[in-house]
């Protein structure tokens, strides 16, 4: 399939829908229609509107990019699954519904947990893997995500700011400036915006993460795809040591840690990270 004038701006990519297994998935599709697209797996409570356009656009200049809402989230129909294994099955259903049999994955936070389950179950599907702000099944203190999230929800409500200012960024001058810039970029799209996640769906996802954290560790030695792992050096939500653990357990992986940054380190350092990840996915 050839597209002579592809959309390469995430703010302009139309929302589309595809139905499979009784679920209608909402997604956005941009960039030149390359043989192997890059499918984005979003974070806890994330919808189509939660991707940093500076990262999406950098990849979409050269590659086909597909973002999607998980079942029961945003404009996708159905009910949020209670486990991340089920979420990985839903992702596979969506990918196959688009007629894809080979993809690259870009993932962040919960999306990286789902991506790990998908790769382990369908290794032939994935060519290259990007895991950011995430950790392994059964990782140390992974289950503490729930408490950290609830505490920061209260803190952000008291200050009447977006919870991502607390969860994604350090509470110093540099981090707060990066948070404001990031949230501003998320508002660049002004039409055809996605629906917000419901409270029930959010809680279901959060406790699915806790189950993931309390599960027996997965055998990550089975992941043989080239893998790029990235995070900030002070991630409170999914502790930075878990990125290092992923790096140790996935042979041949590359680890990038950004200084003076938290869970959203890749967004704070988007000017450095976007070309890095585009180059990794280009090989």
């Amino acid at each position: 399939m050839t597209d002579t004038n592809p959309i390469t701006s995430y703010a302009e990519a139309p929302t589309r829908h595809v139905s499979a297994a009784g679920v209608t998935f909402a997604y956005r599709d941009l960039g030149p229609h390359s043989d192997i697209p890059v499918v984005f797996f979003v974070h806890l409570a994330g919808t189509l509107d939660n991707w940093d356009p500076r990262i999406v656009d950098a990849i979409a200049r050269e590659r086909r990019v597909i973002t999607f809402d998980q079942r029961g989230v945003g404009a996708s129909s159905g009910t949020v699954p209670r486990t991340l294994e089920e979420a990985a099955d839903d992702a596979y259903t969506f990918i196959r519904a688009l007629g894809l049999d080979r993809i690259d994955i870009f993932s962040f936070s919960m999306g990286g947990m789902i991506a790990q389950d998908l790769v382990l179950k369908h290794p032939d599907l994935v060519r290259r893997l990007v895991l950011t702000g995430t950790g392994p099944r059964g990782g140390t203190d992974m289950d503490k995500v729930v408490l950290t999230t609830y505490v920061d929800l209260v803190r952000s409500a008291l200050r009447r700011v977006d919870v991502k200012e607390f969860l994604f960024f350090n509470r110093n001058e540099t981090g707060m400036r990066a948070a404001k810039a990031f949230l501003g970029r998320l508002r660049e799209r002004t039409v055809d915006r996605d629906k917000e996640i419901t409270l029930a769906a959010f809680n279901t996802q959060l406790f699915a993460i806790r189950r993931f954290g309390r599960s027996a560790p997965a055998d990550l030695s089975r992941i043989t795809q080239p893998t790029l792992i990235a995070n900030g050096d002070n991630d409170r939500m999914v502790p930075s040591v878990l990125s290092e653990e992923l790096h140790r357990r996935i042979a041949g992986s590359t680890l990038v840690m950004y200084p003076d940054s938290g869970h959203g380190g890749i967004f704070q350092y988007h000017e450095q990270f976007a070309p890095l990840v585009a180059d990794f996915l280009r090989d």
Side-chain angles (χ1 to χ4, degrees):
M1 182 175 180
T2 301
D3 190 342
T4 57
N5 191 29
I7 293 172
T8 57
S9 169
Y10 193 54
E12 299 174 4
T15 302
R16 303 178 181 184
H17 299 85
V18 64
S19 296
V23 177
T24 298
F25 293 95
Y27 71 102
R28 292 178 187 153
D29 192 340
L30 66 157
H33 275 240
S34 50
D35 292 337
I36 301 177
V38 184
V39 180
F40 278 52
F41 286 60
V42 78
H43 59 79
L44 167 71
T47 70
L48 294 173
D49 291 332
N50 287 111
W51 285 115
D52 191 331
R54 297 300 177 273
I55 293 175
V56 176
D57 294 358
I59 297 172
R61 281 194 286 270
E62 300 180 14
R63 299 284 302 281
R64 181 184 181 188
V65 169
I66 298 168
T67 64
F68 72 105
D69 279 335
Q70 283 279 351
R71 172 163 57 99
V73 176
S76 288
S77 69
T79 303
V80 173
R82 295 180 67 252
T83 69
L84 298 190
E85 298 100 315
E86 293 176 80
D89 290 340
D90 289 336
Y92 182 75
T93 297
F94 165 73
I95 290 162
R96 296 298 296 140
L98 293 183
L100 304 173
D101 55 20
R102 190 75 163 158
I103 65 170
D104 287 343
I105 288 178
F106 182 100
S107 63
F108 175 60
S109 195
M110 184 191 75
M113 303 169 203
I114 296 170
Q116 291 171 60
D117 280 351
L118 179 66
V119 172
L120 290 170
K121 193 167 184 177
H122 303 282
D124 292 339
L125 177 68
V126 180
R127 185 191 72 126
R128 285 181 171 263
L129 178 63
V130 180
L131 301 170
T132 68
T134 194
R137 178 178 291 278
T140 305
D141 291 338
M142 175 74 78
D143 60 339
K144 293 183 179 178
V145 170
V146 175
L147 179 59
T148 301
T149 300
Y150 281 140
V151 168
D152 280 0
L153 277 169
V154 172
R155 294 169 72 199
S156 63
L158 290 173
R159 291 167 175 79
R160 299 183 180 180
V161 298
D162 192 302
V163 69
K164 288 187 282 295
E165 290 195 26
F166 287 87
L167 288 174
F168 284 16
F169 300 91
N170 288 343
R171 297 299 292 171
N172 57 21
E173 183 179 350
T174 301
M176 289 188 283
R177 185 169 59 248
K180 298 295 185 184
F182 169 68
L183 292 171
R185 296 195 296 274
L186 296 188
R187 292 190 291 268
E188 289 178 356
R189 184 185 184 94
T190 57
V191 298
D192 187 28
R193 290 188 64 85
D194 203 0
K195 298 177 182 178
E196 295 287 338
I197 191 169
T198 65
L199 180 59
F202 167 77
N203 282 323
T204 301
Q205 284 189 340
L206 193 57
F207 284 97
I209 293 173
R210 186 167 71 177
R211 291 186 186 94
F212 181 91
R214 293 180 176 177
S215 298
D219 181 7
L220 298 185
S221 69
R222 293 166 49 206
I223 296 180
T224 58
Q225 291 84 351
T227 301
L228 173 64
I229 301 164
N231 203 351
D233 67 351
N234 186 41
D235 188 343
R236 295 173 50 256
M237 190 173 185
V238 184
S240 301
V241 294
L242 293 172
S243 294
E244 297 168 359
E245 185 176 337
L246 281 173
H247 177 50
R248 289 193 300 270
R249 293 172 57 187
I250 300 176
S253 60
T254 299
L255 175 65
V256 179
M257 299 291 281
Y258 290 104
D260 190 23
S261 60
H263 191 56
I266 64 167
F267 309 128
Q268 181 172 326
Y269 283 88
H270 66 89
E271 292 181 350
Q272 293 89 344
F273 178 70
L276 173 71
V277 72
D279 185 61
F280 172 79
L281 292 169
R282 186 182 300 122
D283 291 343

